[in-house]
Amino acid sequence: MFDDPFLSFWRSHFGDCPPVGFLLRETFPERWVRIHSLPGSRRYAETAREMSAVLSRHNAVISDLIGENGSCVLVANPAYSVVRGRPPRGQRQVAQLELQPLIVVTGGGGSADTAPGWSIPLSSAPVSWQAGSLDDVLADVANNLLGPLLIVSDTTGRVYAPYDGGADLFLASASERDEFTQRYTQWLSPHPSGL
C-alpha cells in the first residue's frame, strides 16, 4: 500500500474498506443506492439516442453528487480493458490523466476460501468535475469496454461508481442515501434488493 493523502481521506470516510464498488456495497449497504442507466432497467444502449440518455443520466447524477467544477479523484484499474489492440477512447482518456499508483486490493484464495485469488491494482488522479468531461470514459464503462472505476468527491467523500447498466452511489449517511433515493426514484431498480 502506498502512502497517499487520498488514502488517508478515504479511510476517514470508509475505514479499511478499499475503494472498490462491490466491496463498498457489501460493507456499507445502508449508505448505498443504485441507479439504472436506461428505462426498464435495460443494461446496454442499442442506439446513439439511448447512449445519449445513458450519458445524460450519468452526468446529471455526478453533477448532483460532486457539484459542477467539484474537486474529485478518479480511481481506476489502468490495466483493465476487455479490448485487444487499440484501447477504447475512454481508456485512452483515463491514461491521459496521469494516474498514480494507489493500492493493490486482493481477495479470495485463502485456505478456507475455495474461490481463486484475485487482485485489483488501483491508480488515482485528481479531476475537476464538469458535465460531459468524462463522456468517453462513461460510455466505455457503459459498454463494458472499460473496467469499473470510482469518482470520489475529495470534499464530501461521496462516491459515484459507474458500471455497465448504471451506477452505485455511496453517500455519507443513510439519511443522505434516502434523499438521493427520493430524488432519483424513477431510475431505481424495482427489485427489492435494489440491484
Side-chain angles (χ1 to χ4, degrees):
M1 186 177 306
F2 299 93
D3 184 23
D4 183 280
F6 172 71
L7 284 179
S8 295
F9 173 82
W10 178 266
R11 286 186 199 103
S12 73
H13 290 274
F14 296 101
D16 291 332
C17 183
V20 176
F22 74 91
L23 296 175
L24 283 168
R25 193 175 69 241
E26 291 171 2
T27 308
F28 298 99
E30 74 285 355
R31 295 168 50 188
W32 163 76
V33 64
R34 174 170 280 185
I35 62 160
H36 288 172
S37 299
L38 289 166
S41 300
R42 288 193 13 255
R43 200 159 181 102
Y44 298 104
E46 296 175 4
T47 66
R49 185 178 193 162
E50 288 179 347
M51 180 52 72
S52 179
V54 167
L55 294 174
S56 177
R57 284 189 182 193
H58 280 304
N59 281 289
V61 178
I62 298 170
S63 292
D64 191 11
L65 199 70
I66 306 288
E68 196 66 23
N69 298 314
S71 177
C72 55
V73 174
L74 186 129
V75 178
N77 176 352
Y80 182 97
S81 177
V82 296
V83 178
R84 301 271 185 241
R86 185 173 170 87
R89 291 183 349 194
Q91 186 176 8
R92 292 194 309 267
Q93 185 178 12
V94 168
Q96 292 171 356
L97 294 174
E98 299 179 20
L99 293 164
Q100 298 299 311
L102 182 65
I103 186 174
V104 175
V105 180
T106 59
S111 58
D113 190 347
T114 58
W118 52 266
S119 90
I120 304 170
L122 297 175
S123 295
S124 66
V127 176
S128 177
W129 170 254
Q130 295 176 342
S133 64
L134 293 175
D135 278 359
D136 287 343
V137 173
L138 295 169
D140 283 353
V141 171
N143 285 320
N144 198 26
L145 298 175
L146 186 60
L149 55 90
L150 304 179
I151 301 170
V152 183
S153 168
D154 61 8
T155 55
T156 66
R158 291 174 172 174
V159 176
Y160 190 81
Y163 70 95
D164 60 326
D168 291 326
L169 285 62
F170 300 94
L171 292 307
S173 65
S175 61
E176 192 174 72
R177 184 236 19 231
D178 292 345
E179 291 173 29
F180 275 81
T181 299
Q182 288 297 317
R183 203 172 297 163
Y184 295 103
T185 189
Q186 301 274 343
W187 298 351
L188 304 179
S189 168
H191 194 277
S193 71
L195 292 173

